[in-house]
Amino acid sequence: MVTRRTILKASLALGAAAVFSGAIGGLSAFAQNTLRVRRSLHNMALNDPDLSAYRDFVGIMQAKNQKDPVSWLQYSLMHGAYNGNYRYCPHGDWYFLPWHREFVMMYENAVIALTGKKDFAMPYWDWSIDRVMPKAFTDQSYGGKPNPLYVSGRTLNTPNWPLPDAWVAPDVLARKVYAETNFQLFGTSKNPNQHNLDMSWVVKGGGTQGFLEGTPHNLIHNSIGAFMPTAGSPRDPIFMMHHSNIDRIWAVWNALGRSNTADMTPSDRNLWLNMNFKNNYLSPTGQLYSAYPRDLQDTKALGYTYPGLPTPDNLLSDPVRDARLLSLLAAGSTSDTLEVLRVLPAANKDAATLKAPLVKSVRFSASLKNQVMAQATESATQSDAAEVFAIIRDMAVGPDVSSVRVFVNAPALSATTPLDSAHFAGEIGFLAHPEAEGEHAGHQKTPPSALIELTDTVRDLAKRGLLTTDNISVQLVPVLREGAKDGAGATIIPASIEIVVV
């Protein structure tokens, strides 16, 4: 039986660039139907009809009276305000993917209405292939006129460019995104306190971010700068290309045979499927409208698809492993449960700073180490191979912090320790999250939490002979926002850090 735990990562990574990048395939597979096909910006001509329609649309919207509901500013304000508050957009909870799917469709439908291009499909920016922003968005002019897709003030000359392998490499996405079979671990988990369908839960956050939202999504937003790290991020035209790619990744995940709701409890299934995103969106005529996640699960039912979607890989879920992780992410786990799950607690009140990274250590017993180091094979049982995670909860993030980097047992760690260090385990980005507005006014965003997988790092360190003690240490180093300076705003204080072996 092949599950995520027993999958051979070398075989998963083999061909990952071809299977998961979206660079293969084409329109021929869809020539017999009327689905609109969202295509990659990779090698797309500057005068491609879809790209041209989007460019024209942005120009039309920017030229309108910005108090008009159908204008560039007013459309973006459904998401949130530049250097202000979020309105309806969810980050850090399980509504992140379906809400943004409809938000991209809102713009896609407006392009069709305003340009008359009935077969328009929103392109996507596959940053696993194109590690710098596409030329269509960086040229200041097009056709002898100002380019509506260009935004001044972007931060595209920092060390984050080209985008690093640790964030977006196809083999990294294969291991950390596509190999997950549980929706809440693939995307972001439910706020464990949610108990009803009140819409305030949508924007409140409070779930635990996994790799997809916390790393490529958040870090690319921050790396672009200008509007993108803020609630007003849709004012940058690249937003739609970025989120179209996030949407494509969800579509790929589903095409591999993963279910959004099959492993949810009936109560959770109701809370996810039937949440009303009431009046969160604007039609091309300026009318407010609503959407439900239950209607946003299948792109083909919504009238569009992506080229090169894979066929099911028959990777089975590991319900015991998934249940253990999800119970840890939930509130109110009992000490008995924690004992069964082999949690190694490391509560915290200290800050991670540039000069003094936060270090939390626990004893890593020989039996646990042996389970983590066991080679996973198809014949392995759950006791043969285990995984290691760090759960970093409720981080109080200083306003000058862009992300936190996580290392394991790194000697002489500093803010300049590179991402290709053998000790590097992951990085979580933080968008600017003041509080909510509109229907959600008064609902403060819950401090972010993150799930970081340490398994590969721990195994690699052991093979290299770099786990020389019985302790395993998780180390946090803050990364400053572009232009920020070290100081009081450059700290991260997580409420707790738990090292979990499941």
Side-chain angles (χ1 to χ4, degrees):
M1 180 177 69
V2 179
T3 67
R4 182 191 186 280
R5 192 191 296 279
T6 61
I7 200 164
L8 294 174
K9 293 183 177 177
S11 63
L12 179 65
L14 182 63
V19 175
F20 299 127
S21 70
I24 64 170
L27 303 184
S28 60
F30 307 102
Q32 301 303 314
N33 58 46
T34 59
L35 290 175
R36 289 175 285 111
V37 180
R38 292 185 179 176
R39 295 175 294 129
S40 175
L41 288 170
H42 182 69
N43 291 332
M44 182 177 282
L46 293 178
N47 63 349
D48 180 272
D50 279 342
L51 187 55
S52 295
Y54 184 63
R55 186 187 298 110
D56 291 345
F57 162 76
V58 175
I60 292 169
M61 293 284 276
Q62 290 176 344
K64 284 175 170 279
N65 182 332
Q66 295 303 294
K67 294 182 180 179
D68 187 329
V70 184
S71 65
W72 192 245
L73 177 61
Q74 295 303 317
Y75 257 45
S76 75
L77 289 177
M78 303 306 287
H79 187 277
Y82 174 56
N83 282 339
N85 299 327
Y86 282 80
R87 188 175 185 184
Y88 297 123
C89 164
H91 286 145
D93 66 43
W94 60 349
Y95 298 115
F96 166 71
L97 289 171
W99 190 94
H100 283 90
R101 173 166 282 176
E102 183 61 42
F103 192 63
V104 174
M105 287 180 59
M106 178 180 103
Y107 279 75
E108 190 170 63
N109 290 333
V111 175
I112 294 170
L114 270 66
T115 68
K117 190 177 188 305
K118 301 301 183 184
D119 61 347
F120 171 79
M122 191 69 73
Y124 63 90
W125 171 25
D126 185 355
W127 19 253
S128 66
I129 294 176
D130 295 316
R131 303 293 183 90
V132 298
M133 189 179 292
K135 178 178 172 61
F137 293 80
T138 59
D139 286 349
Q140 295 189 39
S141 63
Y142 178 78
K145 298 178 181 179
N147 179 10
L149 304 181
Y150 172 79
V151 172
S152 64
R154 290 176 179 145
T155 52
L156 305 181
N157 296 309
T158 70
N160 290 335
W161 301 93
L163 297 172
D165 283 349
W167 299 359
V168 298
D171 64 306
V172 173
L173 296 178
R175 294 196 312 271
K176 296 190 175 185
V177 175
Y178 296 117
E180 280 295 352
T181 57
N182 180 282
F183 178 79
Q184 294 187 66
L185 299 175
F186 155 74
T188 296
S189 71
K190 165 192 171 188
N191 182 320
N193 296 312
Q194 183 183 352
H195 57 280
N196 61 34
L197 288 168
D198 189 293
M199 200 169 64
S200 65
W201 292 107
V202 176
V203 78
K204 188 177 293 185
T208 300
Q209 297 181 45
F211 184 85
L212 178 60
E213 182 180 357
T215 301
H217 171 263
N218 290 357
L219 291 173
I220 292 171
H221 265 275
N222 285 344
S223 296
I224 293 170
F227 296 117
M228 283 291 277
T230 78
S233 51
R235 291 176 66 179
D236 190 326
I238 198 66
F239 177 100
M240 292 301 145
M241 310 294 109
H242 179 39
H243 271 276
S244 187
N245 194 46
I246 295 290
D247 185 76
R248 180 188 66 88
I249 289 171
W250 184 17
V252 169
W253 188 79
N254 283 146
L256 287 168
R258 320 282 191 257
S259 169
N260 299 322
T261 61
D263 46 11
M264 290 183 185
T265 65
S267 174
D268 280 356
R269 194 174 297 123
N270 173 59
L271 292 177
W272 189 75
L273 288 173
N274 297 316
M275 175 58 74
N276 185 4
F277 302 147
K278 184 179 179 180
N279 292 335
N280 281 201
Y281 308 100
L282 282 166
S283 75
T285 59
Q287 302 300 308
L288 293 170
Y289 72 94
S290 308
Y292 292 85
R294 67 183 182 229
D295 300 322
L296 298 171
Q297 299 186 75
D298 182 359
T299 66
K300 292 182 180 180
L302 296 169
Y304 72 93
T305 190
Y306 296 94
L309 291 178
T311 56
D313 62 0
N314 299 316
L315 183 66
L316 301 178
S317 64
D318 187 339
V320 174
R321 173 257 191 194
D322 293 349
R324 286 174 170 175
L325 275 174
L326 290 174
S327 69
L328 280 170
L329 302 184
S333 295
T334 66
S335 58
D336 288 342
T337 302
L338 298 183
E339 179 64 25
V340 170
L341 297 179
R342 297 194 286 266
V343 172
L344 310 175
N348 171 71
K349 295 182 180 180
D350 302 322
T353 68
L354 292 181
K355 296 177 181 177
L358 178 63
V359 180
K360 289 296 176 179
S361 301
V362 294
R363 184 175 178 275
F364 198 44
S365 69
S367 61
L368 288 180
K369 183 177 179 180
N370 289 339
Q371 287 187 28
V372 172
M373 290 304 299
Q375 178 63 48
T377 66
E378 290 195 29
S379 61
T381 65
Q382 287 181 340
S383 61
D384 290 325
E387 296 168 278
V388 190
F389 296 86
I391 303 175
I392 309 172
R393 301 185 192 268
D394 296 335
M395 290 175 270
V397 181
D400 295 331
V401 174
S402 174
S403 64
V404 61
R405 291 176 178 169
V406 182
F407 295 83
V408 175
N409 289 34
L413 182 64
S414 73
T416 61
T417 302
L419 299 186
D420 59 4
S421 164
H423 298 269
F424 176 77
E427 183 170 4
I428 295 292
F430 306 111
L431 303 180
H433 277 121
E435 56 186 42
E437 289 184 337
E439 294 286 342
H440 305 309
H443 297 285
Q444 186 74 22
K445 279 282 188 182
T446 305
S449 299
L451 181 70
I452 301 286
E453 183 164 8
L454 309 179
T455 312
D456 288 347
T457 303
V458 170
R459 287 176 177 169
D460 186 51
L461 291 175
K463 291 176 181 177
R464 293 169 180 250
L466 297 176
L467 283 183
T468 57
T469 71
D470 290 335
N471 288 340
I472 183 170
S473 297
V474 170
Q475 303 153 305
L476 307 186
V477 182
V479 178
L480 295 185
R481 296 193 183 278
E482 185 66 20
K485 297 181 179 180
D486 191 10
T491 62
I492 298 173
I493 306 176
S496 67
I497 302 173
E498 293 161 322
I499 302 172
V500 185
V501 180
V502 295

